[in-house]
Amino acid sequence: MNKVCVYAIAKDEEQFVERWVESVSPADKIIVLDTGSTDNTVDKLTALGVEVTQIHYEHFRFDQARNDCLDLIPEEYNIRVSIDLDEVFGSDDWADVLRSRWDENNPRIIYSYVWAHNKGGSNGLEFYINKIHGTDPYLRWEGAVHEHLIDTRTGQRGFENYIDLTKEITVHHYPDLSRDRLFYKDLAYERIQEHPDDYQAIVLLGNEERVKGDPKEAIRWYIYVLENFQERMDTTEIAAVYYALGCSYKSEKKAVEAMVSYTNGIAINKLYRDNYYGLGVLLFENQMFDMARGVLEEALKSTKRFYFWMEDNYTWTFAVYDILGCVYNRLGDNDKALAAAAKALSFEPTNENLVKNYTTYLTS
């Protein structure tokens, strides 16, 4: 009989406890490793029947904590689900789906993950992840931060075969944006020191620098990746780094360098949308409206979604339509501007900027 165990690490997350426990309650067992909460996280969890173990780490690392939590799972629970307290399942039948679709000969699940949501609540950044797995003792978490599962015998991170549940299971992430992310950056440097050839870790460090408002450092790391690791990267990854580099240059008000980065990204992978969007915005801001129209229309016509962790939150919902509406308006094509604005608004009906643009075109 297939038995599901949810396991998580937590620290000072009392605001999420009730919602999380309700979401994961279809599991057969729920285990939380608390790493030093000073609020009511532990009391709330135990009151709701969750098994909680507390470990205070002198030096905290995400991989060590997750592995320690993994070790708490009794062997009889053959389906292990890693889901944090700021995450919830998109439907109530997720555990039944796992039990019915589980295959001990292929004990890894790939499913949909919504990392960020747009203002109106619609899905923003969405990609596929694989944090549901079986009992293989050689499967362990690795990485001080942005940790991932690996086969410790081979060092293999990705696997050729998964049970594909991307249509049946979705996890939504609702983070506490007020939290200081400085320790993430420190742990990212630690991860790179341990694995200097891990180009994904270096990209993630660049992202942390960009989030913390230091685009110069982000630029340095993105260029380092492009100069040293392209032979190991697929074209989607390369295009995504060019987009991140372009955005960092834009933050530094280096429009030419940003345009070059976006253009290089389009050249390396014409299906990846974000570089079209970045280039279209820059062209619009520099009043190159005809060129912006061509780039943005091509984005809508020729790109495809990869469900990849480095796709932008908004390019697959309202953003391209919104800026294209602005372009059409400047070119005097009000009918197309209104249609594009309406399409953008359909994704986020309560977005004040989108409402304003639509109303402006409607009354023009």
Side-chain angles (χ1 to χ4, degrees):
M1 178 180 176
N2 292 321
K3 299 180 72 173
V4 177
C5 180
V6 162
Y7 70 104
I9 59 175
K11 182 179 180 180
D12 294 334
E13 301 191 69
E14 62 175 332
Q15 62 181 310
F16 302 127
V17 168
E18 288 90 349
R19 184 188 68 187
W20 183 78
V21 172
E22 181 180 2
S23 178
V24 302
S25 60
D28 299 294
K29 190 175 187 65
I30 305 170
I31 294 176
V32 171
L33 176 67
D34 184 86
T35 63
S37 291
T38 57
D39 63 4
N40 294 316
T41 298
V42 174
D43 291 341
K44 283 189 170 185
L45 285 167
T46 54
L48 292 171
V50 176
E51 181 181 313
V52 181
T53 299
Q54 293 180 277
I55 299 179
H56 291 212
Y57 294 92
E58 184 174 341
H59 174 64
F60 175 80
R61 294 172 54 107
F62 282 94
D63 54 358
Q64 181 180 355
R66 291 205 193 278
N67 284 326
D68 287 343
C69 188
L70 182 59
D71 290 339
L72 297 171
I73 302 175
E75 188 174 350
E76 64 191 278
Y77 295 92
N78 62 320
I79 306 175
R80 284 96 186 274
V81 179
S82 174
I83 176 170
D84 290 335
L85 270 72
D86 60 358
E87 300 168 343
V88 294
F89 284 99
S91 62
D92 296 332
D93 65 346
W94 63 269
D96 287 336
V97 171
L98 287 178
R99 295 184 190 102
S100 64
R101 297 286 301 277
W102 190 252
D103 180 0
E104 285 294 346
N105 294 316
N106 185 24
R108 295 291 298 272
I109 300 289
I110 189 169
Y111 55 98
S112 295
Y113 183 68
V114 183
W115 187 87
H117 297 77
N118 300 317
K119 291 181 180 179
S122 59
N123 294 354
L125 177 58
E126 182 177 356
F127 50 93
Y128 300 150
I129 62 172
N130 49 39
K131 295 183 179 181
I132 301 175
H133 58 90
T135 59
D136 185 349
Y138 295 101
L139 198 62
R140 305 293 285 178
W141 292 94
E142 180 182 85
V145 69
H146 304 302
E147 62 283 7
H148 49 267
L149 286 163
I150 70 161
D151 185 327
T152 55
R153 293 165 297 188
T154 63
Q156 183 181 11
R157 181 186 305 181
F159 294 80
E160 293 183 3
N161 298 311
Y162 296 91
I163 304 170
D164 186 349
L165 297 182
T166 54
K167 303 301 182 185
E168 291 97 328
I169 293 179
T170 300
V171 169
H172 294 266
H173 178 228
Y174 296 104
D176 180 356
L177 298 177
S178 66
R179 288 195 172 189
D180 184 5
R181 292 180 60 89
L182 181 60
F183 84 102
Y184 278 84
K185 187 172 76 169
D186 294 339
L187 289 174
Y189 275 102
E190 184 174 332
R191 176 175 165 179
I192 290 173
Q193 288 173 351
E194 294 173 349
H195 303 282
D197 292 332
D198 186 348
Y199 66 84
Q200 288 189 358
I202 301 171
V203 172
L204 287 163
L205 176 58
N207 293 349
E208 291 293 340
E209 295 287 9
R210 188 152 58 101
V211 168
K212 293 300 293 183
D214 193 347
K216 286 188 177 67
E217 274 298 291
I219 289 167
R220 181 169 75 88
W221 287 115
Y222 295 143
I223 290 176
Y224 180 79
V225 168
L226 291 169
E227 288 179 344
N228 292 279
F229 298 104
Q230 284 201 44
E231 290 185 0
R232 292 171 47 197
M233 301 165 70
D234 64 39
T235 60
T236 309
E237 292 176 312
I238 298 169
V241 175
Y242 272 121
Y243 176 67
L245 179 60
C247 292
S248 300
Y249 277 131
K250 189 172 185 291
S251 297
E252 286 288 282
K253 302 188 185 306
K254 295 183 176 181
V256 173
E257 290 87 344
M259 286 187 183
V260 170
S261 295
Y262 295 139
T263 303
N264 285 339
I266 293 170
I268 202 73
N269 189 326
K270 293 180 172 59
L271 299 178
Y272 179 77
R273 176 173 289 190
D274 292 21
N275 285 300
Y276 291 91
Y277 171 71
L279 181 58
V281 170
L282 266 182
L283 292 169
F284 172 77
E285 291 176 349
N286 286 275
Q287 300 186 30
M288 302 177 188
F289 302 126
D290 282 316
M291 293 179 66
R293 176 180 59 188
V295 168
L296 294 166
E297 287 180 345
E298 186 67 21
L300 294 176
K301 182 177 68 174
S302 301
T303 57
K304 76 167 192 176
R305 190 162 192 174
F306 290 91
Y307 292 96
F308 168 58
W309 62 275
M310 282 190 71
E311 286 177 303
D312 193 58
N313 290 12
Y314 310 114
T315 51
W316 284 95
T317 54
F318 68 87
V320 175
Y321 295 102
D322 180 43
I323 190 65
L324 190 54
C326 297
V327 170
Y328 287 141
N329 177 256
R330 291 298 189 94
L331 291 171
D333 194 336
N334 196 63
D335 289 342
K336 284 189 176 182
L338 186 61
K343 182 67 174 178
L345 197 58
S346 70
F347 291 104
E348 287 213 0
T350 61
N351 186 309
E352 294 181 1
N353 289 330
L354 301 182
V355 171
K356 180 181 177 181
N357 286 344
Y358 179 78
T359 303
T360 297
Y361 307 150
L362 187 64
T363 58
S364 295

